[in-house]
């Protein structure tokens, strides 16, 4: 019997760690049967396949390093008892690991800083933050966000220089006091005028704001002469 020969590539194209590796082995002569095993590899989380498999390889190989890792499939070709084992090696490329940090709450109308931190150190070719609403740039690693609504959720899609991509989890930017009454003192955090969290609309008053202190707040309003507003109203039972 003739020695069987693998006719499919022994070095198939590299795959990214979040993509399936599919391989259809072929060999001559036509009557050859094929099974395979795959040893475990450091840096790849998939367990080894030590029992011979007859179904074509189809697996998402998870590379947790920041460099390519070679995974070897040992193809055993059998032509009526005449056998040969041929290693088929596929390079598994790492995908960018992205950390966008925690949710943020900002003073109503203020900007928040977003950051796409690539924690496994891969070089990045492109960034894309959907949605682009309120962003200084949708294609920057670190845009600022000025959210025009009560809150917005942002995530970032990243393509690394090795061609592999990944998308982060979402981070929420919330506007403190969005839709609240301008100038109404709540005092929920402290007695400090300059803390936007103490105001119903999440904004520290300016020269155009009519300030209202209704006497029901959690903390009294502290005024030391450095504050500005258009008008200041206290309930009739209190004095300024």
């Amino acid at each position: 019997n003739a020695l069987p020969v693998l006719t499919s590539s022994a070095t198939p194209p590299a795959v990214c760690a979040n993509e399936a590796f599919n391989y259809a082995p072929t060999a001559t002569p036509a009557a050859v049967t094929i099974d395979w095993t795959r040893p475990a590899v450091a840096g790849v989380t998939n367990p080894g396949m030590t029992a011979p498999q007859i179904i074509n390889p189809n697996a998402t190989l998870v590379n947790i390093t920041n460099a390519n890792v070679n995974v070897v499939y040992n193809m055993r070709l059998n032509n009526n008892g005449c056998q040969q084992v041929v290693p088929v090696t596929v390079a598994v490329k790492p995908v960018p690991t992205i950390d966008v940090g925690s949710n943020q709450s900002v003073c109503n109308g203020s900007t928040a800083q977003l950051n796409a931190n690539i924690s496994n150190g891969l070089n990045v070719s492109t960034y894309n933050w959907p949605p682009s609403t309120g962003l200084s740039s949708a294609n920057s690693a670190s845009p600022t966000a000025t959210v025009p609504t009560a809150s917005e959720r942002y995530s970032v899609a990243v393509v690394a220089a090795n061609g592999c991509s990944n998308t982060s989890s979402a981070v929420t930017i919330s506007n403190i006091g969005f839709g609240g009454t301008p100038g109404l003192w709540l005092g929920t955090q402290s007695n400090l005028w300059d803390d936007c969290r103490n105001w119903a609309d999440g904004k520290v008053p300016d020269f155009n704001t009519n300030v209202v202190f209704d006497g029901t707040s959690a903390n009294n309003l502290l005024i030391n002469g450095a504050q500005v507003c258009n008008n200041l109203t206290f309930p009739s039972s209190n004095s300024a």
Side-chain angles (χ1 to χ4, degrees), residues 44-227:
V44 172
T45 61
N46 304 68
M49 303 287 286
T50 57
Q53 306 290 310
I54 60 173
I55 299 173
N56 290 349
N58 179 6
T60 300
L61 301 169
V62 182
N63 177 356
I64 58 173
T65 77
N66 61 0
N68 289 4
V69 175
N70 289 334
V71 175
V72 177
Y73 287 78
N74 292 310
M75 298 289 165
R76 183 172 63 178
L77 315 179
N78 185 0
N79 181 26
N80 293 318
C82 187
Q83 296 186 3
Q84 178 177 205
V85 175
V86 180
V88 171
T89 303
V90 59
V92 183
K93 300 185 289 185
V95 299
T97 303
I98 315 164
D99 180 10
V100 292
S102 303
N103 297 335
Q104 301 180 50
S105 294
V106 298
C107 295
N108 188 6
S110 298
T111 60
Q113 181 68 58
L114 298 174
N115 291 289
N117 177 41
I118 309 304
S119 55
N120 62 347
L122 293 187
N123 292 325
V124 172
S125 297
T126 63
Y127 297 89
N128 181 40
W129 293 84
S132 60
T133 305
L135 295 183
S136 59
S137 171
N139 306 116
S140 166
S142 301
T144 57
T146 306
V147 178
T149 56
S151 65
E152 188 63 82
R153 287 167 57 86
Y154 296 99
S155 59
V156 60
V158 170
V159 179
N162 67 2
C164 296
S165 60
N166 202 5
T167 300
S168 73
S169 57
V171 61
T172 300
I173 308 300
S174 300
N175 270 325
I176 295 170
F178 183 85
T181 303
L184 176 61
W185 171 261
L186 299 179
T188 53
Q189 299 296 316
S190 66
N191 62 0
L192 298 179
W193 177 288
D194 291 331
D195 188 340
C196 70
R197 297 172 298 173
N198 287 323
W199 298 96
D201 66 343
K203 295 182 178 181
V204 176
D206 59 21
F207 287 104
N208 298 312
T209 308
N210 293 321
V211 171
V212 177
F213 176 66
D214 63 9
T216 64
S217 57
N219 289 285
N220 290 329
L221 174 60
L222 175 65
I223 300 176
N224 59 16
Q227 295 75 23

Side-chain angles (χ1 to χ4, degrees), residues 2-8 26-29 32 34 77-79 82 84 86:
L3 185 68
V5 176
L6 185 74
T7 55
S8 53
T26 57
T28 58
V32 169
I34 304 174
L77 315 179
N78 185 0
N79 181 26
C82 187
Q84 178 177 205
V86 180

